Amino acid sequence: MARLVPIRLAGMIAATVTCAAVATEAAAQDQDPSIVLNEQIQFGDVFAEQTLDVVDSSEQVTVSNSATGNSLAGGVQGGDMSVTSIQSMQGDVRAETTFVLGGDTEGVVSGVTQANGNYLGLSAYDANLTVDSAQTVSDVEIVATSTMAEGDERLLGGAYVDASAIGNTAALGGERSYFDGTLVQWSDANVRASNYAGTQYIPAEAEFTAQAVANVVSVTGTSVTGQNMTIDQRSTGGIIDSGVSANAGNSWDLAGRANAGANRAVLSNQGGSVVATTRQDNTSQIQSQAIVTSYDYGAANSYARGVANEVSVGNNDIYVEIDNTQINTGGVAVNAQFAGTQGYDAYVGADAAGNVVTGFACADCAGYIDATNNQANSGNVSATAQTTINGANRAVVTGTNAVGNAATFYVSRSGN
């Protein structure tokens, strides 16, 4: 007889369900599948705030700051599981981190700031996982902010600081398993991520990043895992905005990277077959900007990327089948900037696209792709870059790329 595990909760909830086989795999296959029914509704706002005030730290400085509306996590090993999940986010989500670092910070500065509306994470090992998920975010604000603004920070060990804001996330992963199901995501939210750093001296590698995405699906399988997934994503919010401003008086290896998107689906597999039906629709404005400045610099990298609808389906085995439809009516504007006085190497790049799909299979396995693709873009797409160097320098490499619709399907050898 099937075992029911109902979960009907409202509020900021994390539900975890794990089913592990206690006998042999053959015996586990004779059992009835585990069934999970999940309903989560968050009406109020969710906030997470941190202020880090440190002077002359001799070792690492690490900050983790996360705010999430609804979260479901679970897994199955050596059996079958069926998951039906409904998640609704109807309040704002904000995560804010403020760095105040006085004197010399000798260790590496690591900061992760995340704002998430709905999160679904499921795993399967030697198992079959069936998923029917619906995630919705109302007309609210999903915002992640990281700030290092004193202007006199001396980060002697370097830094890796990220700010990420995502409306809906569904992540499936495992090995020697089979994934089957439907993932529906609809976001009407404004999604914003910003990362600002104004520093004095960084004699090490330093990377400041920001990512804002309305809907994200990731399905990853290894060791002969099969996939049969239907994905439906829609973004109707006003704006999806990602911005990075990384600044230093003197830096050795400084990078600022911004990434913004409405709908993103990434399916990857190491064996078995992948069958994917993807539908993406965006009306939101997509903005992505990266600004990097340094008076003296060794290497400087400023990169911004913005894609309204994006699908990637890949299999390191024989068979890939894709039925893809993408419609974008929102604008995409991407800008990357660098300004310095004297230094060595500067790299500036901006990539913008309305609709992008990529599919690939393994040539060594006599791979085969069956692809049906429909893309329509009526939004304006722009990519711009500005580079200003007022003194001596060694190399300057810049590039911009803007495209309305892009489709790439190929069969490649392993490692290519």
Side-chain angles (χ1 to χ4, degrees), residues 35-39 72 82-86 130-134:
I35 299 175
V36 177
L37 306 177
N38 177 63
E39 183 177 0
L72 170 66
S82 175
V83 178
T84 300
S85 177
I86 298 174
T130 301
V131 182
D132 186 359
S133 169

Side-chain angles (χ1 to χ4, degrees), residues 265-275 311-322 357-363 365-371 407-416:
V266 179
L267 284 70
S268 62
N269 221 44
Q270 294 298 316
S273 64
V274 178
V275 178
V311 170
S312 175
V313 180
N315 189 17
N316 242 356
D317 210 328
I318 298 174
Y319 189 71
V320 173
E321 181 179 328
I322 305 172
V357 59
T358 303
F360 63 90
C362 170
C365 321
Y368 177 78
I369 290 181
D370 183 354
T408 304
F409 303 104
Y410 61 94
V411 178
S412 69
R413 295 189 179 279
S414 178
N416 295 332

Side-chain angles (χ1 to χ4, degrees), residues 7-360:
I7 305 173
R8 299 186 179 276
L9 304 172
M12 182 181 176
I13 307 168
T16 304
V17 181
T18 304
C19 175
V22 296
T24 64
E25 181 178 356
Q29 291 174 349
D30 293 334
Q31 299 175 355
D32 291 335
S34 297
I35 299 175
V36 177
L37 306 177
N38 177 63
E39 183 177 0
Q40 296 172 314
I41 305 174
Q42 172 64 26
F43 293 102
D45 299 337
V46 180
F47 295 93
E49 298 181 5
Q50 283 201 42
T51 298
L52 190 68
D53 195 339
V54 178
V55 177
D56 289 329
S57 175
S58 61
E59 295 187 7
Q60 70 180 39
V61 175
T62 302
V63 179
S64 178
N65 187 18
S66 176
T68 303
N70 298 304
S71 177
L72 170 66
V76 56
Q77 181 176 351
D80 297 340
M81 176 179 281
S82 175
V83 178
T84 300
S85 177
I86 298 174
Q87 296 174 311
S88 176
M89 185 63 203
Q90 301 183 28
D92 294 343
V93 180
R94 296 180 183 273
E96 299 178 359
T97 303
T98 301
F99 293 88
V100 181
L101 305 177
D104 291 343
T105 303
E106 297 183 10
V108 178
V109 177
S110 300
V112 176
T113 304
Q114 297 177 324
N116 303 294
N118 296 309
Y119 176 82
L120 171 70
L122 299 173
S123 60
Y125 298 90
D126 300 300
N128 295 318
L129 178 62
T130 301
V131 182
D132 186 359
S133 169
Q135 297 174 312
T136 60
V137 179
S138 300
D139 182 9
V140 297
E141 298 284 330
I142 310 293
V143 180
T145 303
S146 178
T147 306
M148 188 183 297
E150 293 299 300
D152 58 357
E153 286 87 355
R154 295 170 56 85
L155 310 182
L156 305 187
Y160 301 94
V161 181
D162 176 71
S164 175
I166 302 176
N168 293 307
T169 302
L172 311 182
E175 55 186 38
R176 299 178 302 277
S177 298
Y178 185 73
F179 297 101
D180 180 83
T182 300
L183 303 174
V184 177
Q185 297 177 323
W186 190 351
S187 173
D188 194 32
N190 294 320
V191 184
R192 310 172 193 268
S194 65
N195 191 344
Y196 177 81
T199 67
Q200 182 184 90
Y201 181 48
I202 313 180
E205 183 177 71
E207 183 176 76
F208 298 88
T209 59
Q211 175 179 240
V213 188
N215 299 307
V216 175
V217 167
S218 173
V219 184
T220 304
T222 61
S223 301
V224 192
T225 296
Q227 300 181 22
N228 184 5
M229 302 300 303
T230 298
I231 298 168
D232 188 345
Q233 298 173 312
R234 285 180 286 178
S235 177
T236 57
I239 190 168
I240 313 296
D241 181 46
S242 176
V244 169
S245 181
N247 310 277
N250 186 320
S251 64
W252 291 15
D253 188 355
L254 179 63
R257 297 183 174 90
N259 193 356
N263 301 305
R264 182 182 302 163
V266 179
L267 284 70
S268 62
N269 221 44
Q270 294 298 316
S273 64
V274 178
V275 178
T277 300
T278 52
R279 302 287 184 268
Q280 295 179 324
D281 189 353
N282 173 61
T283 63
S284 306
Q285 286 291 121
I286 310 300
Q287 293 183 179
S288 180
Q289 183 176 53
I291 299 173
V292 177
T293 68
S294 186
Y295 186 90
D296 296 312
Y297 61 94
N301 192 313
S302 177
Y303 178 70
R305 183 177 187 269
V307 180
N309 297 313
E310 183 173 13
V311 170
S312 175
V313 180
N315 189 17
N316 242 356
D317 210 328
I318 298 174
Y319 189 71
V320 173
E321 181 179 328
I322 305 172
D323 185 350
N324 178 63
T325 299
Q326 295 171 316
I327 300 173
N328 177 53
T329 57
V332 180
V334 175
N335 176 255
Q337 301 178 29
F338 171 71
T341 299
Q342 56 189 12
Y344 286 86
D345 305 325
Y347 306 90
V348 182
D351 292 322
N355 300 307
V356 175
V357 59
T358 303
F360 63 90

